[in-house]
């Protein structure tokens, strides 16, 4: 499927055929020009003048898998009662682009004909009213359609809409259950499917072991070639790397067979396996698959969705875990890592393959894993939690830094950051909101994109920024609790 977005322009018959031809020609040109600068094609569909034209195009948008969203605009005035039936039935993400074909008011030429042709200023207000009246989730982007800032926001919205399409088709393969007694990684899988479209089901570790035993030497050899090309091999234990390759091929084969885009496993259930998949999970994540440790299927699906929302459909996003703090005054940081499984899309430099003993879990042999430092720069961490009756998405702005110490004995990939507004306040806010220790860390998905995604999925959104005050956040959480109880 090649994703695309549809451009639907509102008008009416009042203006006569000549004006409508001009509107159509301009709308077509805008879609063509915008397609050159946006991450996904924008396809001009119709200049809608009747209720029927609108309901027809919306029905088609709902039905067509490759249509990932609809962008509307009113070049002229378009009476909104004729939009009611179509918009009420719209099941795809909707963005209202409030723009104008011309940039300037032409001082010498402007007359009433010009005014009637170029009246987005009031056409878009009529269009906005019906969106508000219908309580329809939508994105409004205002500005000149040739401006870079508008392109950036439209592009980001498209990526959020891609996240919706990926979410609605998400299948998660679980090997083993949740880590025993852990609360935050639990959740209502039925509710997740109703709201987010995720199909979360389990497969036996024994079936995976069977699949591993069927992997051929030649297949292992081919994947070893990929590892060698992408990473520095910093161990003599080649057998451990080959074992990971076998795990990767088997997991991938099972996922692809079932159409799964994400998986979870747990170190408490490795029955018949010699090593917890480390390098295997890391390389699978680099290919765009989601992963969650300790049975955390929520973070696994979210990882795959954020990856798909990122650059070129496989961005710099990864399963992450808050591990430990550096609390020295003036230099307060979080250190994030996992037992093994951090995606190399976060790496500042070429990752190294190392093998080390792993005390936790049931590893008979030392698992191979990629070791690296995360990139410096602004990023976000994201958590989705089940509040009982609803899902809450929590996003926190962070600033990643080059780790301030080398930590030569730490045998895993690591990322160091300062959470906003500052470490202590940021931690207070995160804990108050109930955010998990497992997150997705992303360098290229923005909080605005996730806000749009949450709106489209109709789930709660909480954003912790440089300006967040704990008192205000507490109030916000209380108000949202009430709102979602009323919904
Ligand atoms: Mn964990």
């Amino acid at each position: 499927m090649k994703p695309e977005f549809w451009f639907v322009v509102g008008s009416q018959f009042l203006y006569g055929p000549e004006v409508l031809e001009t509107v159509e020609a301009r709308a077509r040109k805008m879609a063509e020009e915008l397609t050159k600068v946006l991450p996904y094609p924008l396809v001009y569909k119709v200049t809608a003048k009747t209720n029927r034209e609108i309901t027809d195009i919306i029905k088609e948008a709902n039905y067509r898998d490759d249509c990932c969203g609809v962008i509307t605009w009113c070049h002229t005035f378009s009476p909104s009662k004729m939009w009611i039936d179509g918009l009420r039935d719209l099941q795809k993400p909707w963005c209202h682009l409030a723009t104008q074909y011309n940039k300037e008011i032409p001082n010498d030429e402007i007359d009433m004909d010009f005014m009637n042709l170029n009246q987005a200023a009031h056409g878009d207000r009529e269009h906005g009213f019906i969106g508000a009246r219908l309580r329809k989730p939508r994105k409004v982007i205002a500005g000149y359609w040739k401006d870079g800032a508008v392109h950036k926001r439209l592009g980001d919205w498209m990526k959020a809409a891609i996240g919706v399409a990926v979410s609605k088709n998400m299948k998660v393969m679980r090997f083993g259950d949740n880590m025993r007694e852990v609360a935050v990684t639990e959740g209502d899988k039925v509710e997740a499917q109703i709201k987010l479209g995720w199909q979360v089901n389990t497969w036996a570790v024994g079936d995976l072991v069977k699949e591993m035993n069927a992997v051929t030497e030649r297949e292992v050899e081919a994947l070893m070639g990929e590892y060698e090309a992408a990473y520095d091999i910093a161990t003599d234990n080649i057998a451990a790397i080959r074992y990971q390759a076998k795990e990767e091929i088997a997991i991938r084969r099972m996922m692809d067979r079932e159409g799964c885009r994400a998986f979870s496993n747990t170190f408490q259930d490795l029955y018949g396996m010699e090593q917890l998949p480390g390098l295997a999970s890391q390389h699978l994540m680099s290919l765009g698959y989601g992963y969650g440790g300790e049975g955390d299927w929520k973070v696994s699906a979210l990882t795959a969705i954020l990856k798909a929302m990122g650059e070129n459909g496989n961005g710099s996003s990864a399963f992450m875990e808050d591990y430990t703090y550096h609390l020295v005054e003036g230099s307060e940081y979080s250190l994030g890592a996992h037992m093994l499984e951090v995606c190399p899309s976060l790496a500042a430099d070429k990752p190294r393959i190392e093998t080390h003993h792993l005390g936790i879990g049931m590893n008979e042999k030392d698992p191979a894993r990629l070791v690296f430092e995360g990139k410096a720069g602004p990023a976000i961490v994201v958590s989705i939690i089940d509040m009982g009756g609803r899902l809450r998405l929590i996003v926190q702005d962070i600033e990643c830094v080059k780790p301030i110490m080398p930590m030569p004995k730490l045998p895993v990939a690591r990322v160091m950051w300062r959470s906003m507004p500052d470490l202590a306040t940021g931690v207070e806010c995160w804990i108050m909101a109930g955010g998990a220790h497992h997150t997705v860390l992303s360098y290229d998905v923005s909080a605005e994109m996730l806000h749009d995604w949450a709106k489209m999925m109709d789930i709660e959104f909480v954003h912790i920024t440089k300006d967040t005050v704990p008192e205000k956040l507490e109030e916000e959480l209380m108000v949202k609790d009430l709102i979602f109880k009323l919904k």
Side-chain angles (χ1 to χ4, degrees), residues 232-251:
D232 286 332
I233 297 195
T235 175
D236 296 331
N237 190 351
I238 303 300
I241 305 176
R242 295 182 74 91
Y243 193 82
Q244 291 282 334
K246 205 189 257 191
E247 289 179 326
E248 175 176 339
I249 293 162
I251 296 168

Side-chain angles (χ1 to χ4, degrees), residues 14 24 30 64 106 152 163 199 215 234 246 278 281 286 364 391-392 442 461 465:
L14 190 72
E24 169 156 1
M30 285 167 74
R64 284 268 299 272
K152 171 81 174 89
Q199 300 174 47
V215 173
K246 205 189 257 191
S281 300
S286 77
E364 292 169 24
L391 297 157
R392 171 182 286 167
S442 181
F461 176 80
T465 71

Side-chain angles (χ1 to χ4, degrees), residues 294 321 338 438:
E294 291 91 65
E321 180 169 280
H338 205 254
H438 283 169

